[in-house]
Amino acid sequence: MGACQSFREMCDREKNTNVHLSLPAVCIVWQTAMIILFGVFMRYDHESDAHWVEHRKHSNLTDIENDFYFRYPSFQDVHVMIFVGFGFLMTFLKRYSFGGVGFNFLIAAFGLQWALLMQGWFHWLDADGKIRIGIENLINADFCVAGCLIAYGALLGKVSPVQLMVLTLFGITLFAVEEFIIISVIHARDAGGSMVIHTFGGYYGLSVSWMLYRPNLHQSSRLQGSVYHSDVFAMIGTLFLWMFWPSFNSAICDHGDGQHRAAINTYLCLASTVLTTVAISSLFQKHGKLDMVHIQNSTLAGGVAAGTAAEFMLMPYGCLIVGFCCGIISTLGYIFLTPFMEKHLKIQDTCGIHNLHAMPGVVGGIVGAITAASASIEVYGHEGLVNTFDFMDKFKDMVPTTQGGHQAAGLCVALCFGIGGGIIVGAILRLPIWGDPADDNCFDDETYWEDVRICNVKSEFSRYFSTQKVLGCTKRKKLYWYP
Amino acid sequence: MGACQSFREMCDREKNTNVHLSLPAVCIVWQTAMIILFGVFMRYDHESDAHWVEHRKHSNLTDIENDFYFRYPSFQDVHVMIFVGFGFLMTFLKRYSFGGVGFNFLIAAFGLQWALLMQGWFHWLDADGKIRIGIENLINADFCVAGCLIAYGALLGKVSPVQLMVLTLFGITLFAVEEFIIISVIHARDAGGSMVIHTFGGYYGLSVSWMLYRPNLHQSSRLQGSVYHSDVFAMIGTLFLWMFWPSFNSAICDHGDGQHRAAINTYLCLASTVLTTVAISSLFQKHGKLDMVHIQNSTLAGGVAAGTAAEFMLMPYGCLIVGFCCGIISTLGYIFLTPFMEKHLKIQDTCGIHNLHAMPGVVGGIVGAITAASASIEVYGHEGLVNTFDFMDKFKDMVPTTQGGHQAAGLCVALCFGIGGGIIVGAILRLPIWGDPADDNCFDDETYWEDVRICNVKSEFSRYFSTQKVLGCTKRKKLYWYP
Amino acid sequence: MGACQSFREMCDREKNTNVHLSLPAVCIVWQTAMIILFGVFMRYDHESDAHWVEHRKHSNLTDIENDFYFRYPSFQDVHVMIFVGFGFLMTFLKRYSFGGVGFNFLIAAFGLQWALLMQGWFHWLDADGKIRIGIENLINADFCVAGCLIAYGALLGKVSPVQLMVLTLFGITLFAVEEFIIISVIHARDAGGSMVIHTFGGYYGLSVSWMLYRPNLHQSSRLQGSVYHSDVFAMIGTLFLWMFWPSFNSAICDHGDGQHRAAINTYLCLASTVLTTVAISSLFQKHGKLDMVHIQNSTLAGGVAAGTAAEFMLMPYGCLIVGFCCGIISTLGYIFLTPFMEKHLKIQDTCGIHNLHAMPGVVGGIVGAITAASASIEVYGHEGLVNTFDFMDKFKDMVPTTQGGHQAAGLCVALCFGIGGGIIVGAILRLPIWGDPADDNCFDDETYWEDVRICNVKSEFSRYFSTQKVLGCTKRKKLYWYP
């Protein structure tokens, strides 16, 4: 046992986190590939092309009816969620804020290009073999990226940027296939992506994390926590996610009542979640104190669960009920399930994405199936029903009850792609070539980021404590006992 | 005197800040009540209902004329002001950032649900006894919540979350009644809520604070201040409030020129305020140094004062004048009035809401009354006048001068409701059952929040200072000398 | 040499940073001047005037066709970029976060009023001598301010607030003249301001910095760096700039396809920049570590370079190529050019605006000239070509190739105004009356901001270290070794 232990430690010490060649190479090669593929395939659609002015006159439209004005405000909100929301939510670790917000930035910027291509090939390919993009494609690309950022949440602090790039490349690819099957083949509706984004992204990340299990992660446990200020930074992420989630769920809904209703539903769902999260957090803590982890994460579960049914007639009280349940489930997940999973299932989930995305995503899928199955002409009106569920063309004979079944089938597909894809990609990421950190080096920015602060702190410090001895600098000169 | 002192101290020490049962109970019970009431009363309005597609065709409208597209961008900006703006503005205290942003989150999420109901009953009740909600209701609910968050500013650090929930429940109720009287009965115009939101909210909070006066608050004076980083966090709140205030004041204005003009007026008013705030702050400080407190708060006073008159023809130079005055008044308030009120009037106003909301709100009400009284057909045009002041139906014979009188009456109502309501609610909050902190425990997150950081800092620290003695840990193990 | 040195030091020590009278005087006088000038010149335009309701009916428009609804969401995004984006990007210095975000706030609020006037006189003057403002003017004012904020980036930490006010007054004036020449006289197109804003602002700031060269700046080198948290704060600025840049470049484009295309182009350009920035940053650092300075700044270069050509048919792959190059150029600039310029050209560029704004701005101008010159009727359609390049009225006979020449001429004008204007304004700012700090006092908030924290930290600290001696307080009592 002792020998085994020391052997492992030796291996760990020999881990090479040098990404001096691999990271630049991956970035340059993939960006060059993007340029070539964009050159071959990507064109403006008729609403963003300079020919629009002719098209507009021909179709007797006004400028304001360009899709841009229906969707641009929502797009920008979604964009904020992806970069500031997800990014700052992951700054909570005391020494991994750079990695949280910085790598999030990197993989989102790469992912959205690849997503434009992948989704374009599946959904927007014209007769002449070109992909025509407009504002809706940008939103969809951001959505697609969200799936991979969720997965990053489970791996935060334990992987190298190169691994993240690989994770994203495969993740986007899997996402596009899964989305095509769920939306186009099965004809499930999923405006806010409870199934397509959150269930898939959540289980994808958990499976990868299971494959990359680190038995000696406790060696860096001193860094696997927050400090006061890093928790306040994370609240920036939480609040921007919470506030803009109505835009997320309504961004690609139908014009008019679809977008309007999705925003209202999500707003109500999220409000309700906050109260039950606080209740459960307080109930299970000594003296009724609140836990910042729950406030930062579980308050968002309602937005996830409102995704699929966002544009349905969920009714205001229905939204409150969904939010009520999700706040409870998600907070209990943080208290009981995450430690259980780490101990018994060997799944190390840094941000608790199982509680914030995976479980509420499944709840959202189920809520969507039930709401769809119970839709009626009384509630929707005939045209409203056709409009909301898109009972047109190939699916014009569909009825709500069968639609409910299709929704459930969609959820299963998302689960399979998440778990299956995660295991395969996890296996690839286990190869010892990606520059991931040793167990005692996890959750530490220093591995991949220039560390200007050491010298600064040192010099500031030594102005007051004159002898170097007091400082007790270790050889590696880590001194940051603040923050 | 000495005995009295020690008795008081004893009482304080016996204060029980355990909210282990009360907080979860209040959250769950009230959220359940919301679900039931929403089930009975709340429905989608015709623009967010699935029947919209039929209605649209019938009324010969295009999708873009759904009210959603007129108001959604403004709504999201208001939403950001409520959660990030107010929330981060209250993170300035060195050890109460969690409480500032976290409790703000909690009471806003609860308040908006109750506000939808209260405002719905007064303003949006249909013939069939149902409330029909759309995007405008969400904005109004956020507005209503703002009144209570302003009140929280005066009490920051001195109350328990349960007290805050009670404060919000009563605050929203009072707000809805007051708003109904001012807007519907008196027919005063108040698009940006100088009177309805800021005057009411400000005096409501100050009255509650007066009722909850703590003579020994100096015992926690060591925590009643900011540190460098917490001041930078607070600037996030300041700037989001400042930037999005044009959306706040224009969000529920008339479509077209009303929203357009309100945004321009507020923008100009705020710009002017910044300059006079800086001038006064510099003038009254040694060496002309600026005080962060003024920059964080007084720069916003112009937005408050532009509220009532935002949609009137205040003229660009009029806006600059209003902003000019408000910057001066508000900053002088921080320098002279807040200490005076604490010492002589027994009103402890943590955030200085009297200078940021109450006084500028009154100024805004007066500006609104004057501007309304001096409105003329030359400036507005006949249709413009009718449109702007809503001289229709019951009020079709009204003239600007009488409108001015009604505006003034509205201001008085706001003042009365604020002060009267605050005293009553303050009396309720003095009951010794709410779990509020002792005087020497105020402004300290540790009372209501799990404190992960203590151990962290300690362990980091002890790596460099080997003996526990040097650490000098007190029994309560508070070590955070940073931040 | 030693005598010279000590003489200089003496001069420095005698520098008087007291702005007790000058700052309030400048603020009050200038704000009063603004009120008078606004009173004389400024009126609402027909879309924000109360007469709109009559105009609307007369022109058979709907409310949603008010320009407000085309541009307001973009305006708010631009507003966020100016105040939070630029403001927080400049919080990266460890002891100058107040100055970064606070002075940015001050000069932006002043600048936008002056910009409304200056741009109004040149572009929006009515026959009756009045300036009519609407939402587009607010956007243009924000743009104009951006030029001065860019210049502030080069001077960050080395100038007094009074100097900044003077810099802004002249900067806005120069900007308005330069913009008039480039846009109206030369008829160059520059929707996102690569030339007008970034090239001008960048070289304006660099020239001023060259005139204000401080040979002994190394005396405050201990403060010219970041700490961990200040770098995370700066990322807030980076991300809001990055996310909202599509709004910046599309805000004043033509309605419809113009705005739509500009947003898409900028989005793609920025995504590509992130990858090459990471690649170059990693390539030139030991062990492939990333440098926060590059991630915070160079990732934005693509947005700058996409400015001029944003509304042209740059094609998606063209955007990726532009972003690709800019990431490389900008990051290499930080690594090689900034140290070179400081050492050999005597230009001290605190934020590296040469790499973020000046160079990418020139690239953007060139890209714009090439794209314009190669425009064809096949790609744009006849009406699209006329529409995009505004080949109307006086310029109705223009062809793309001559337009390309005009674009290049515009770039030259921007360069001349930037460099020439900067030298003149720099000369003015060298006068010893502005209260700028001594060389060893640069990058220190304490010079211009009330310093609440010192006492706080001290008291907290002394609770654990009982003797004052250990504290080692210097006479000036600076203790903040955190942050």
Side-chain angles (χ1 to χ4, degrees), chain C residues 171-406:
Chain C
I172 300 279
T173 314
L174 288 163
F175 183 101
V177 178
E178 168 236 29
E179 187 196 40
F180 178 73
I181 296 174
I182 294 176
I183 305 293
S184 300
V185 178
I186 299 184
H187 192 261
R189 304 287 289 168
D190 196 8
S194 296
M195 305 182 287
V196 172
I197 301 169
H198 297 285
T199 304
F200 166 76
Y203 285 105
Y204 179 58
L206 291 167
S207 307
V208 172
S209 184
W210 180 67
M211 291 298 288
L212 299 180
Y213 180 66
R214 290 168 175 271
N216 294 316
L217 194 58
H218 58 83
Q219 291 178 357
S220 54
S221 66
R222 73 191 182 287
L223 292 176
Q224 200 184 356
S226 63
V227 284
Y228 197 69
H229 274 133
S230 69
D231 267 332
V232 182
F233 276 121
M235 279 304 288
I236 297 175
T238 300
L239 288 175
F240 275 102
L241 287 171
W242 195 91
M243 293 179 306
F244 287 163
W245 216 295
S247 296
F248 192 91
N249 285 349
S250 70
I252 57 163
C253 288
D254 285 338
H255 291 175
D257 65 297
Q259 290 195 291
H260 202 152
R261 193 163 55 249
I264 295 173
N265 285 346
T266 313
Y267 172 92
L268 292 174
C269 212
L270 284 162
S272 171
T273 310
V274 175
L275 272 95
T276 47
T277 299
V278 167
I280 302 298
S281 181
S282 173
L283 197 63
F284 282 87
Q285 231 76 22
K286 223 167 54 180
H287 298 298
K289 292 185 181 191
L290 298 170
D291 190 327
M292 237 348 184
V293 173
H294 308 152
I295 306 300
Q296 279 161 13
N297 294 283
S298 298
T299 49
L300 300 167
V304 173
T308 300
E311 58 179 338
F312 301 164
M313 294 286 283
L314 188 52
M315 307 313 289
Y317 71 92
C319 303
L320 295 188
I321 293 172
V322 172
F324 191 95
C325 300
C326 282
I328 293 174
I329 293 170
S330 178
T331 315
L332 290 176
Y334 276 98
I335 297 171
F336 297 112
L337 218 52
T338 301
F340 176 85
M341 283 168 60
E342 175 149 3
K343 200 166 173 192
H344 298 289
L345 306 183
K346 296 183 188 296
I347 298 176
Q348 291 154 333
D349 181 4
T350 314
C351 294
I353 61 165
H354 188 252
N355 315 305
L356 171 47
H357 296 282
M359 277 197 303
V362 172
V363 171
I366 296 169
V367 169
I370 296 171
T371 322
S374 58
S376 67
I377 291 185
E378 289 79 59
V379 175
Y380 287 79
H382 178 68
E383 283 193 72
L385 199 64
V386 169
N387 213 33
T388 306
F389 293 100
D390 209 15
F391 288 157
M392 281 179 265
D393 305 330
K394 222 170 56 175
F395 299 95
K396 69 176 189 296
D397 299 325
M398 221 160 154
V399 291
T401 41
T402 43
Q403 178 66 34
H406 286 223

Side-chain angles (χ1 to χ4, degrees), chain A residues 235 239 271 274-279 290 295 299, chain B residues 23 27 83 99-113 145 149 160-162 164-165 168 449:
Chain A
M235 278 305 287
L239 288 175
V274 175
L275 271 94
T276 48
T277 298
V278 168
L290 297 170
I295 306 300
T299 50
Chain B
L23 183 58
C27 288
F83 290 89
V101 70
F103 293 152
N104 181 80
F105 192 16
L106 169 63
I107 60 178
F110 165 67
L112 59 87
Q113 300 177 50
V145 162
L149 299 182
S160 76
V162 182
L164 286 172
M165 295 288 282
T168 305
W449 295 86

Side-chain angles (χ1 to χ4, degrees), chain B residues 188-196 198 245-246 249-250 253 257-267 269 302-316 318-319 322-323 360-375 380 388-389 403 407, chain C residues 44 48 50:
Chain B
R189 304 286 290 168
D190 196 9
S194 296
M195 306 183 286
V196 170
H198 298 285
W245 217 295
N249 285 349
S250 70
C253 287
D257 65 297
Q259 290 195 292
H260 201 153
R261 193 163 55 250
I264 294 173
N265 285 346
T266 312
Y267 173 90
C269 212
V304 173
T308 301
E311 56 179 340
F312 301 164
M313 293 287 283
L314 188 53
M315 306 312 290
C319 303
V322 172
V362 172
V363 171
I366 295 169
V367 168
I370 296 172
T371 321
S374 59
Y380 287 79
T388 305
F389 293 100
Q403 177 68 34
Q407 296 288 136
Chain C
Y44 301 113
S48 58

Side-chain angles (χ1 to χ4, degrees), chain B residues 228 247 259 265 383 478, chain C residues 20 44 57 69 72 445 464:
Chain B
Y228 197 70
S247 296
Q259 290 195 292
N265 285 346
E383 283 193 73
K478 275 200 221 166
Chain C
H20 195 203
Y44 301 113
K57 285 179 188 168
Y69 302 103
Y72 191 69
D445 272 337
Y464 303 102

